[in-house]
Amino acid sequence: AQSVAQPEDQVNVAEGNPLTVKCTYSVSGNPYLFWYVQYPNRGLQFLLKYITGDNLVKGSYGFEAEFNKSQTSFHLKKPSALVSDSALYFCAVRVNNNNDMRFGAGTRLTVKP
Amino acid sequence: ETGVTQSPTHLIKTRGQQVTLRCSSQSGHNTVSWYQQALGQGPQFIFQYYREEENGRGNFPPRFSGLQFPNYSSELNVNALELDDSALYLCASSLVGAPTDTQYFGPGTRLTVL
């Protein structure tokens, strides 16, 4: 069965600094990987996904993620954090022939001015 | 905003009761998935509907059931509510339900079971 792990419950960065939110996955077969962001009392907003091709994926709001097959990772990155990026971030994985999307437990990102 | 709407926003029920949650999918999408998000956890997949048929189910008991209508809107029904059913229920719509599809989420329904 597929699963994802987000090893950090909380990430704190200063505004203007680069940020990284970590995600590792475990699947049988090729993974389809997704990042979502959740603001308080809101649903999940799609940021980006990796299906195939270029390992560096660019998404919404300046975020990007790098697929690393050998390390089974899909870390979310942004070169310069904004206070408004503070939110809960979820990594998720799906595999072919399975409609079950598995989410990590989430990482709370706090960007301080 | 995604164009996916859910109703009601909040709901309070007592143990043993039944509840129906509703979801309208984004225009052009024929697939709806439902998720349960308990406090402090990531969403857990309940089931998916594609063209009015159940198209995949997570590890939830049969008292969780659903429907999808010809206009691709959907309902989640939960019978015999338990305290542990208290959670945020999210629906997500996608174009055709393929594993590569992006799912677009609604704002959720917060269910409290007393």
Side-chain angles (χ1 to χ4, degrees):
Chain A
Q2 73 264 31
S3 65
V4 293
Q6 294 181 242
E8 300 159 317
D9 293 335
Q10 175 95 26
V11 170
N12 298 312
V13 298
E15 187 175 30
N17 282 1
L19 70 86
T20 299
V21 183
K22 295 180 180 178
C23 172
T24 59
Y25 65 90
S26 174
V27 300
S28 299
N30 294 321
Y32 306 127
L33 293 154
F34 301 79
W35 275 103
Y36 285 86
V37 60
Q38 187 174 36
Y39 295 98
N41 301 314
R42 302 280 293 275
L44 277 66
Q45 293 182 28
F46 170 71
L47 285 177
L48 50 80
K49 67 181 178 182
Y50 172 81
I51 304 303
T52 187
D54 193 348
N55 289 343
L56 184 63
V57 179
K58 294 189 182 295
S60 307
Y61 313 118
F63 284 94
E64 59 187 29
E66 186 166 11
F67 173 67
N68 188 319
K69 189 171 184 178
S70 62
Q71 297 186 5
T72 62
S73 67
F74 189 56
H75 301 331
L76 181 70
K77 299 182 180 184
K78 187 174 183 181
S80 179
L82 300 173
V83 173
S84 58
D85 292 330
S86 298
L88 192 54
Y89 289 79
F90 290 98
C91 180
V93 66
R94 299 177 86 179
V95 295
N96 235 346
N97 301 317
N98 190 333
N99 291 317
D100 182 352
M101 183 152 69
R102 296 290 176 95
F103 284 83
T107 298
R108 185 163 300 281
L109 172 68
T110 301
V111 181
K112 297 184 178 178
Chain B
E1 300 300 327
T2 62
V4 179
T5 61
Q6 293 186 243
S7 63
T9 306
H10 296 89
L11 203 51
I12 299 175
K13 292 285 188 179
T14 55
R15 197 170 43 183
Q17 286 188 311
Q18 178 266 342
V19 68
T20 297
L21 310 182
R22 294 178 175 83
C23 172
S24 291
S25 56
Q26 187 168 314
S27 178
H29 288 185
N30 60 23
T31 302
V32 173
S33 302
W34 284 93
Y35 293 84
Q36 181 195 67
Q37 186 179 15
L39 203 59
Q41 297 182 23
Q44 289 193 30
F45 175 71
I46 303 175
F47 43 57
Q48 182 182 88
Y49 277 81
Y50 170 68
R51 293 189 173 181
E52 304 178 57
E53 297 284 336
E54 188 178 289
N55 185 36
R57 188 179 183 92
N59 190 26
F60 280 81
R63 60 189 184 84
F64 285 78
S65 63
L67 281 174
Q68 188 179 30
F69 300 100
N71 66 355
Y72 302 130
S73 66
S74 178
E75 287 182 354
L76 164 65
N77 299 290
V78 187
N79 293 324
L81 283 167
E82 301 177 359
L83 297 179
D84 285 349
D85 295 334
S86 295
L88 181 68
Y89 288 84
L90 297 163
C91 80
S93 75
S94 55
L95 200 57
V96 292
T100 54
D101 275 357
T102 298
Q103 295 190 355
Y104 295 93
F105 284 80
T109 294
R110 173 77 58 188
L111 173 64
T112 302
V113 182
L114 302 176

